[in-house]
C-alpha cells in the first residue's frame, strides 16, 4: 500500500516547519485500516491508509450525492424489457477510487512509519483525495462527473449520480465507486 501511495503521488513529503510557515492547511493524523474481504476460513486481508479528519459540524459544501433506488429499478426495467436490443447490465467497482481525484483543500497528513521517507518532521501534503477526509467523496464525485461528461455522457438534472449517453445507448448510475450500467 505504501508503494501504491508513492506511485500515485497521493502526497508530497514536506516538513512540519514548512507547513507552519505557510500558515495554511490543516494537519490530520493517519492510520491503517485493515479489512478482511474474505471470510474466517479464507481470509483476504486488505490494508488501506486513511486520514482521520473528524466532522466538527455540518458542512453542506462537502455533500456527495446518492442515487435514488428508483434509478436502479429503471435500469433493471430497461434491461428486462428490451431483450431484442441485446442489452446487458454491467456492474463495476473502481479500486482505490479516491486516489484518482485531486485534493481540493490544502490538507496535510501524518505519513505512515512504513513510508521510507518517514522522519519525525516529515508529513504529507495531499495531492489526491484520501479516504477518511471529509471531502474525499465529493472530490471523487466531481472527478467522476467530469470524466463521464468528457466521454459524451449527460449528467442527470434531478440527481448528479445519473448519466446517459444517447449516442451509445448507455445509462449509468454511480454510487460512490460503484457503477451500474445498461
Amino acid at each position: 500500500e505504501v508503494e501504491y501511495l508513492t506511485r500515485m503521488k497521493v502526497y508530497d513529503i514536506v516538513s512540519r516547519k514548512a507547513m507552519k510557515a505557510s500558515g495554511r492547511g490543516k494537519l490530520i493524523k493517519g492510520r491503517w485500516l485493515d479489512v478482511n474481504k474474505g471470510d474466517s476460513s479464507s481470509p483476504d486481508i486488505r490494508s488501506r491508509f486513511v486520514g482521520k479528519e473528524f466532522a466538527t459540524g455540518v458542512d453542506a459544501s462537502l455533500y456527495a450525492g446518492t442515487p435514488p433506488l428508483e434509478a436502479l429499478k429503471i435500469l433493471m426495467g430497461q434491461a428486462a424489457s428490451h431483450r431484442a436490443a441485446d442489452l446487458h447490465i454491467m456492474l463495476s467497482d473502481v479500486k482505490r477510487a479516491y486516489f484518482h481525484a485531486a485534493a481540493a483543500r490544502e490538507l496535510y497528513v501524518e505519513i505512515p512509519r512504513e513510508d521510507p521517507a518517514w522522519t519525525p518532521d516529515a508529513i504529507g501534503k495531499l495531492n489526491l483525495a484520501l479516504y477518511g477526509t471529509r471531502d474525499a467523496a465529493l472530490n471523487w464525485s466531481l472527478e467522476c462527473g467530469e470524466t463521464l461528461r468528457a466521454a459524451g455522457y449527460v449528467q442527470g438534472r434531478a440527481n448528479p449520480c445519473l448519466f446517459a449517453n444517447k449516442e451509445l445507448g448507455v445509462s449509468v448510475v454511480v454510487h460512490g465507486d460503484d457503477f451500474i450500467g445498461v
Side-chain angles (χ1 to χ4, degrees):
E1 185 70 11
V2 172
E3 182 182 301
Y4 189 81
L5 292 171
T6 303
R7 188 171 63 243
M8 290 294 292
K9 298 181 180 165
V10 173
Y11 52 76
D12 290 330
I13 303 294
V14 299
S15 70
R16 292 174 191 277
K17 292 174 190 168
M19 184 202 86
K20 288 178 183 174
S22 79
R24 297 187 311 266
K26 174 181 173 183
L27 177 63
I28 62 171
K29 293 192 178 293
R31 70 175 227 129
W32 287 106
L33 183 65
D34 299 323
V35 177
N36 183 3
K37 295 284 191 172
D39 56 32
S40 58
S41 62
S42 299
D44 181 14
I45 306 298
R46 309 264 177 95
S47 293
R48 178 175 287 156
F49 185 69
V50 299
K52 291 172 57 174
E53 185 178 19
F54 298 103
T56 55
V58 176
D59 186 348
S61 68
L62 300 175
Y63 170 79
T66 302
L69 179 60
E70 290 77 12
L72 179 60
K73 290 179 179 179
I74 289 170
L75 287 184
M76 297 301 147
Q78 184 181 16
S81 62
H82 292 87
R83 290 185 200 178
D86 195 30
L87 294 179
H88 301 277
I89 299 170
M90 179 187 78
L91 305 172
S92 298
D93 177 84
V94 178
K95 301 286 185 214
R96 299 173 173 147
Y98 291 178
F99 295 155
H100 297 280
R105 300 178 291 142
E106 191 167 328
L107 199 56
Y108 299 84
V109 65
E110 300 269 357
I111 64 173
R113 287 183 180 253
E114 293 83 359
D115 189 318
W118 183 90
T119 67
D121 186 50
I123 57 175
K125 180 180 180 189
L126 292 180
N127 297 317
L128 301 175
L130 181 67
Y131 289 88
T133 58
R134 292 193 68 202
D135 60 346
L138 173 63
N139 294 345
W140 164 249
S141 175
L142 294 172
E143 177 67 30
C144 180
E146 286 178 30
T147 301
L148 285 169
R149 287 190 301 276
Y153 286 78
V154 175
Q155 193 166 14
R157 283 184 274 174
N159 189 288
C161 302
L162 312 177
F163 295 86
N165 185 318
K166 288 187 180 184
E167 187 177 312
L168 298 175
V170 177
S171 299
V172 178
V173 173
V174 180
H175 185 230
D177 63 359
D178 297 313
F179 292 72
I180 303 168
V182 172

